[in-house]
Each structure stands twice: as C-alpha cells, then as structure tokens.
C-alpha cells in the first residue's frame, strides 16, 4: 500500500461536535449512532484513526473550525469571535489528548516531517504508528486579533483558510461575494511573517484574487474541485487553477458528492444513481493535470466526514482506507508510477519541504 497524505480532515469537529471517539473503528462508531437523527450523516461515518492506519494514511492536515455569525446570518456559528476562539481551543485540547494517548503526533517543522515520513515508510506495523497531523484553521473568524494568530502559531498552527462559508471577519467565503479589506490584508501580512500557509479553499472569487495579490508566502488549496465539471462558486475556474499552479500550489481533490457531480441535491440525490464514484474525483484531478501539463499540482484533500458521510460520498468508498483504490484508477488513465506517488504523497511533501525550508521569522 502506498503511503498517503490527506490534506483536509475535520477530525476535532467529528470528535467534539459529532461526539465520535475516533480511536474506535468506523464500524463501532456507526453502530453506536444507529437510530440517531440529529445529523443527516449519523451511522454513516467513514473516518477514524484505525481506518487511517488501515489505508496507510500516515499524515493528514487536520482542522480547527469555528465560524462567527453576525446578526442576520442564518449559518450555524458563534455569536462572538471570543466564543469561536474558545471553540478552537477545545478542538486543540482534543488533538493534545490524542497525542498523549500516542494516537497522533503534531508535525510543525521540517525535522518532525522527515522523521515522521521515515517512520511511516519503514517496517513498523501500521497499528503501532501515530497518525501525523499538521494543524490548519478553516475560516479565520476565531482569530480575535493578530496576537491570537501568533499564539496559534506557537501551539502549532501552520495553515489558515481566511474564509469558510458565507461572509467572514477577514474574507468572504463560499456563496458570499466581496473583498477582504483592511483586516484581511493585515491577516495575510501576519501569516506571511509567521510563514503560515494560505489555504485558498473556500475563498469567493473576489477574495481569492485579492488574497493572491496581497500574499507572497506559500499557497495551497487543500480541498477543491473543478468548476469546469461542477459549475458552482465552491469550485475553482480554470483561470483560478492556473493561477494556483503558477504559485506552486498543490490542489487536493475532495470527495463530497455535490462538489464531484453536477446536479446533486442534498438530502435527495444518491451516489449510485448520480454515478458518483472515485473515477469522478480522478476526472477533476486529471483536469488540473491537463491545465498544468504535469502531475505536480494535485493530491488528496478528501474532506471526508466534513459534515457528510456515506450518503454523500463516492459509492465505491466504504471508509477513508479506500483512498488506496486511487492508484489503480490513475494507472488505468495512463499515469506513470512516479506520478501516482506524487499524487498520493509526493506533491504535498515537496510543497511542505519548500514551505518550511526557510523559517518565516
């Protein structure tokens, strides 16, 4: 099995808001959720730490996430930035608890990265290896002030997506419109000083172009599909993808069905009826390769269990361990073994080695 990196998983959200003990196998998590109806993906989970190990997914980019919602904003979220900050601190405490158990290990610099990759590519049994995680913040609303960004950097935060869904404090996200403004520019400047990666995912078009113009540090798009195949502002246009490629970005293919196939209706569409399988994410990623002229700018950023489960996943995926089906699908398309290695882990590793080679401070 090929060593695999997944650049976007909402692990702490699942642990705390969905109340899932991710140390348990997915089957046990789902069994305990039988009969629950508070969320549409109950008993349909695909991600847990044993399944990551089973799929040889030894390194993930794992999120903190907490949205601030102003009066009149119908999205779920917190009524102050301070509450959002506190939520992210609870999520951090969960990651720390997993480290204390030996289940996970934080990867925050080049030495830790190289040591961890050697461990996972060595002969140690998978069930004896901690899953490495790089801490990322999905939506920057919880950064009360720039001093909080410095605090977060000190505890290991290494990537930030300025926006999530809707209007944000620092940028405008999916289904919103507009620019980042003065506060957003200040955030980008401080991220650049700290050498924090800019995650372009979820930025609306205006904020996307503004962010690229004002930020000179490393940029990736952790979980983004292709607008040419699914026409929605959540996906990126060919011009946006080309701009990311020019910046040396890696773009992670996402496995949320509505981002994969056109015409998906949440709560009604079913993966098999919509022909949503793993071949479809290969279509998206291959499109990016055709724009780039190579396979150097794609990877996986599955977003599995990001507030959806089996009901909104490729039908040929039972758990996240099935990412191991992807190498054969790329091979069938004519991708060389060396390029498949890049897709499964090599591109993310190259990106991180470049980004972390020169400390930001």
């Amino acid at each position: 099995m090929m060593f695999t990196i997944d650049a976007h998983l909402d692990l702490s959200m699942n642990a705390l808001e969905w109340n899932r003990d991710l140390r348990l196998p997915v089957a046990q998590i789902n069994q305990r959720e039988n009969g629950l109806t508070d969320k549409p993906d109950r008993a349909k989970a695909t991600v847990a730490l044993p399944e990551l190990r089973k799929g040889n997914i030894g390194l993930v980019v794992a999120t903190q996430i907490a949205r601030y919602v102003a009066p009149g904003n119908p999205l779920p979220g917190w009524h102050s930035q301070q509450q959002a900050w506190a939520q992210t601190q609870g999520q951090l405490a969960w990651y720390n608890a997993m480290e204390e158990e030996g289940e996970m290990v934080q990867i925050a610099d080049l030495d830790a990265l190289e040591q961890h990759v050697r461990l996972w590519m060595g002969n140690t049994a998978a069930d004896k290896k901690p899953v490495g995680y790089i801490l990322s913040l999905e939506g920057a609303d919880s950064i009360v002030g720039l001093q909080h960004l410095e605090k977060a950097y000190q505890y290991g935060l290494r990537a930030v997506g300025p926006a999530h869904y809707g209007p944000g404090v620092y940028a405008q996200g999916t289904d919103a419109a507009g620019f980042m403004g003065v506060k957003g520019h200040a955030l980008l400047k401080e991220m650049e000083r700290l050498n924090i990666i800019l995650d372009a995912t979820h930025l609306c078009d205006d904020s996307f172009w503004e962010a690229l113009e004002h930020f000179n540090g490393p940029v990736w798009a952790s979980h983004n599909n292709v607008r040419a195949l699914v026409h929605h502002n959540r996906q990126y246009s060919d011009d946006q993808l080309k701009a990311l490629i020019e910046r040396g970005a890696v773009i992670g293919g996402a496995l949320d069905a509505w981002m994969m196939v056109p015409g998906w209706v949440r709560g009604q569409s079913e993966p098999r009826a919509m022909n949503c399988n793993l071949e479809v994410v290969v279509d998206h990623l291959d499109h990016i390769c055709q724009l780039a002229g190579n396979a150097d700018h794609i990877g996986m950023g599955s977003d599995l269990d990001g507030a959806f489960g089996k009901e909104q996943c490729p039908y040929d995926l039972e758990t996240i361990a099935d990412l191991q089906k992807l190498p054969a699908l790329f091979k069938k398309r004519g991708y060389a073994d060396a390029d498949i290695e890049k897709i499964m882990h090599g591109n993310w590793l190259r990106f991180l080695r470049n980004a972390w080679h020169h400390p930001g401070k």
Side-chain angles (χ1 to χ4, degrees), residues 256-271:
D256 192 341
W258 83 268
M259 294 171 54
M260 297 175 67
V261 294
W264 183 274
V265 180
R266 290 175 201 251
Q268 295 181 29
S269 299
E270 295 181 355

Side-chain angles (χ1 to χ4, degrees), residues 219-240:
V219 182
W220 67 25
S222 62
H223 56 304
N224 244 109
N225 289 350
V226 172
R227 195 176 296 181
L229 300 180
V230 176
H231 190 78
H232 187 278
N233 67 79
R234 172 66 180 83
Q235 280 62 257
Y236 278 153
S237 69
D238 285 3
D239 284 345
Q240 289 170 305

Side-chain angles (χ1 to χ4, degrees), residues 21-326:
D21 184 353
L22 298 183
R23 299 171 303 167
L24 301 177
V26 159
Q28 288 186 36
I29 291 170
N30 286 334
Q31 186 177 19
R32 188 159 187 183
E33 292 184 0
N34 274 334
L36 294 180
T37 57
D38 59 317
K39 297 179 186 293
D41 57 329
R42 285 299 186 195
K44 298 183 180 73
T46 68
V47 178
L49 292 164
E51 270 67 34
L52 288 170
R53 294 189 181 94
K54 183 179 175 184
N56 210 29
I57 304 159
L59 181 61
V60 301
V61 179
T63 67
Q64 296 170 293
I65 181 169
R67 181 190 295 111
Y68 162 69
V69 289
N73 185 340
L75 292 170
W78 300 100
H79 291 183
S80 73
Q81 284 183 272
Q82 290 78 8
Q83 288 166 276
W85 171 262
Q87 175 74 0
T88 65
Q89 298 314 288
Q91 293 166 352
L92 177 67
W94 179 79
Y95 288 116
N96 291 339
M98 291 302 97
E99 290 197 66
E100 289 168 10
E101 293 291 312
E103 293 277 357
M104 300 182 76
V105 61
Q106 189 183 78
I107 308 300
D109 59 40
L110 199 52
D111 288 344
L113 177 68
E114 302 297 4
Q115 181 180 339
H116 189 70
V117 171
R118 282 194 300 272
L119 173 68
W120 271 83
M121 291 191 170
N123 296 320
T124 308
D127 61 357
K128 306 295 184 192
K129 300 173 187 174
V131 173
Y133 75 100
I134 297 165
L135 195 60
S136 177
L137 181 62
E138 187 172 23
D141 290 359
S142 59
I143 302 297
V144 179
L146 295 184
Q147 70 276 16
H148 290 75
L149 187 64
E150 171 111 40
K151 278 185 198 173
Y153 179 83
Q154 295 302 332
Y155 63 62
L157 184 66
R158 291 296 178 266
V160 171
H164 190 223
Y165 278 81
V169 174
Y170 296 99
Q172 314 315 313
T174 300
D175 292 334
F179 294 97
M180 297 184 71
V182 174
K183 287 188 80 168
H185 295 174
L187 178 79
L188 293 175
K189 187 174 180 182
E190 184 68 356
M191 285 170 59
E192 193 174 323
R193 182 182 76 82
L194 293 166
N195 199 35
I196 292 175
I197 296 160
L198 169 64
D199 189 349
T201 299
H202 280 296
L203 289 170
C204 78
D205 290 1
D206 291 336
S207 288
F208 172 91
W209 293 112
E210 189 177 11
L212 288 194
E213 182 181 345
H214 284 84
F215 184 77
N216 300 305
V219 182
W220 67 25
S222 62
H223 56 304
N224 244 109
N225 289 350
V226 172
R227 195 176 296 181
L229 300 180
V230 176
H231 190 78
H232 187 278
N233 67 79
R234 172 66 180 83
Q235 280 62 257
Y236 278 153
S237 69
D238 285 3
D239 284 345
Q240 289 170 305
L241 294 168
K242 287 175 187 174
L244 288 168
I245 289 162
E246 285 172 15
R247 288 290 292 267
V250 180
I251 300 148
L255 296 178
D256 192 341
W258 83 268
M259 294 171 54
M260 297 175 67
V261 294
W264 183 274
V265 180
R266 290 175 201 251
Q268 295 181 29
S269 299
E270 295 181 355
R272 196 172 288 275
M274 297 292 285
N275 294 315
C276 182
N277 58 19
L278 288 167
E279 289 271 11
V280 177
V281 80
V282 178
D283 293 338
H284 284 265
L285 293 171
D286 180 68
H287 183 93
I288 297 167
C289 291
Q290 302 310 317
L291 292 176
N294 56 53
D296 294 348
H297 296 277
I298 61 167
M300 286 311 300
S302 71
D303 198 19
L304 287 173
D305 292 359
F308 66 97
K310 274 283 296 167
E311 81 289 351
Q312 201 165 296
C313 282
Y315 64 74
D316 50 351
L317 181 141
E318 285 298 318
T319 77
I320 195 167
D322 286 327
L323 293 187
Q324 289 299 336
K325 294 180 176 180
L326 288 168

